């Protein structure tokens, strides 16, 4: 293969993300026998197969994905031109075939299209759960495509809420989908938090309301934090304060996680000026299913899934003339560093911190560092540090 330009790294053309559809499958995945990150060679069959966003995400994260097709679409980066629903009975048969054979560790639903398919899926999963514990279910309530095409029949919304939400571990609507489900508009960050809280009352164990379609700034988050001190700001808890930009007008993407235990977390990341956002919701929810299936907590899974998706957008090449796909393979390629920008001035540092959050936390939350930053470190403690640091560096004590 000839080398192709991809972000700020070089990869084979074969690894360049192909066109893929909006989330239109019910997908399941299980852990493969491979325990470490998959190599590019191991991924080649999937690349050549032109797998869609979810299956590409599963493979990139070292998991084996299976699927039950619920609808076929004719679409490209410009929009959806047509939809052909699969008979509900056949959807149930596909799902049952997988459950009868494979030890499924997580389930993720996407575009379910109509009430009959939703009912068939819920009935099949319910029957399965009567025999053995149902693995974590991530429900991405796909209603409308990026181009505005309806992907869920209006009368199916109530069935989705009543039949599938009670089985769901994490519900992942975007702003438009939350507005459809709750029958109200969302126009502020406070509205997003309130909507996530109300969606939680409909049955899922947790709600991740995605804010990619909503304009938010650092000032908005600071205002929310002052008004609601009980809300955790994810970027702070992840020890990313050192990368915070000083301007209150910094454009951000904000996702709000509400959990049954009463905890609400706001995950904030720099907004990337990119048209490579086709399948963002599919990718995020698929990554979430992978991490939940591997035993992560909901909070940890959301943190890792949002970071994976963010980097997929940051390193993607422009494909098509509309909204192109993400780069799902960034985790298995040689290190790709996003270009430095006003929104992300320290991309390499951010990547290192995101990849090693516990080590970074041990460093920045150490009492010595905290006191040094606050200007309250005793002089004797600082001199003690200088003395032993010098001895370690030069092999002789400071005189």
């Amino acid at each position: 293969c000839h080398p192709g330009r991809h972000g700020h790294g070089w990869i084979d053309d074969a690894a360049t993300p192909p066109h893929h559809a909006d989330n239109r499958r019910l997908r399941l995945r299980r852990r493969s026998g491979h325990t470490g990150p998959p190599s590019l060679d191991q991924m080649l069959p999937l690349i050549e197969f032109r797998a869609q966003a979810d299956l590409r995400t599963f493979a990139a994260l070292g998991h084996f994905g299976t699927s039950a097709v619920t609808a076929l679409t004719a679409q490209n980066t410009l929009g959806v031109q047509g939809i052909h629903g699969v008979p509900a009975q056949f959807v149930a048969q596909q799902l049952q075939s997988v459950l009868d054979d494979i030890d499924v560790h997580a389930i993720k639903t996407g575009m379910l299209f109509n009430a009959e398919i939703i009912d068939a899926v819920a009935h099949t999963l319910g029957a399965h759960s009567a025999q053995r514990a149902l693995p974590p279910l991530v429900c991405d309530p796909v209603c409308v495509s990026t181009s505005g095409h309806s992907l869920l029949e209006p009368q199916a919304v109530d069935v989705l809420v009543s039949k599938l939400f009670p089985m769901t571990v994490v519900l992942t609507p975007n702003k438009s989908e939350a507005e459809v489900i709750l029958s109200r508009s969302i126009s502020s960050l406070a509205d997003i938090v309130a909507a996530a809280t109300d969606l939680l009352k409909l049955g899922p164990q947790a709600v991740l309301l995605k804010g990619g379609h909503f304009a938010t700034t650092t000032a908005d988050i600071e205002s929310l934090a002052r008004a609601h001190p009980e809300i955790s700001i994810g970027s702070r808890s992840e020890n990313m304060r050192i990368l915070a930009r000083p301007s209150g007008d910094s454009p951000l993407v904000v996702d709000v996680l509400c959990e049954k235990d009463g905890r609400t977390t706001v995950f904030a990341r720099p907004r990337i000026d990119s048209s490579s956002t086709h399948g963002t919701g599919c990718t995020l929810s698929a990554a979430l299913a992978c991490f939940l299936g591997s035993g992560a907590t909901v909070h940890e899974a959301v943190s890792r899934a949002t970071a994976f998706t963010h980097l997929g957008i940051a390193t993607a090449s422009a494909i098509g003339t509309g909204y192109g796909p993400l780069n799902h393979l960034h985790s298995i390629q040689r290190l790709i560093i996003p270009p430095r920008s006003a929104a992300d001035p320290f991309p390499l540092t951010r990547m290192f911190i995101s990849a090693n959050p516990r080590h970074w936390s041990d460093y920045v939350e150490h009492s010595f560092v905290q006191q040094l930053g606050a200007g309250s470190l005793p002089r004797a403690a600082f001199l003690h540090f200088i003395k032993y640091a010098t001895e370690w560096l030069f092999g002789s004590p400071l005189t």
Side-chain angles (χ1 to χ4, degrees), residues 36-48:
S39 68
L40 184 59
D41 289 342
Q42 290 171 310
M43 292 296 99
L44 282 177
L46 279 177
I47 293 169
E48 294 172 350

Side-chain angles (χ1 to χ4, degrees), residues 42 72 74 120 132 154 232 264 298 302:
Q42 290 171 310
L72 305 175
R132 56 185 301 181
S232 172
T264 298
V298 169
V302 168

Side-chain angles (χ1 to χ4, degrees), residues 22-42:
D22 269 334
N23 194 345
R24 59 184 182 273
R25 295 182 174 186
L26 168 69
R27 297 175 177 87
L28 303 93
R29 41 77 50 198
R30 68 173 175 86
R31 288 300 302 269
S32 66
H34 182 65
T35 56
S39 68
L40 184 59
D41 289 342
Q42 290 171 310

Side-chain angles (χ1 to χ4, degrees), residues 124-154:
T124 304
L125 293 180
H128 180 75
S129 65
Q131 300 176 2
R132 56 185 301 181
L134 191 69
L137 171 63
V138 177
C139 177
D140 187 7
V142 178
C143 298
V144 183
S145 70
T146 303
S147 58
H149 197 105
S150 177
L151 302 177
L152 182 68
E153 294 180 352

Side-chain angles (χ1 to χ4, degrees), residues 18-152:
H19 295 289
H20 59 74
D22 269 334
N23 194 345
R24 59 184 182 273
R25 295 182 174 186
L26 168 69
R27 297 175 177 87
L28 303 93
R29 41 77 50 198
R30 68 173 175 86
R31 288 300 302 269
S32 66
H34 182 65
T35 56
S39 68
L40 184 59
D41 289 342
Q42 290 171 310
M43 292 296 99
L44 282 177
L46 279 177
I47 293 169
E48 294 172 350
F49 184 68
R50 296 307 193 205
Q52 299 170 19
D54 290 8
L55 296 180
R56 291 172 65 82
T57 300
F58 294 157
L61 292 174
H63 299 78
F64 180 80
T66 62
S67 61
V69 179
T70 60
L72 305 175
T73 67
Q75 67 172 286
N76 51 30
T77 64
L78 298 175
V80 179
Q81 291 80 46
I83 301 176
H84 178 71
V86 174
Q89 184 178 4
F90 188 64
V91 172
Q93 186 177 5
Q94 294 177 73
L95 179 54
Q96 192 63 56
S97 294
V98 174
L99 294 173
D100 286 345
D101 180 44
I102 296 177
D103 180 20
V104 176
H105 285 207
I107 302 173
K108 182 242 168 169
T109 65
M111 176 183 169
L112 297 178
F113 188 51
N114 60 37
E116 291 76 17
I117 292 176
I118 296 171
D119 190 67
V121 169
H123 181 269
T124 304
L125 293 180
H128 180 75
S129 65
Q131 300 176 2
R132 56 185 301 181
L134 191 69
L137 171 63
V138 177
C139 177
D140 187 7
V142 178
C143 298
V144 183
S145 70
T146 303
S147 58
H149 197 105
S150 177
L151 302 177
L152 182 68

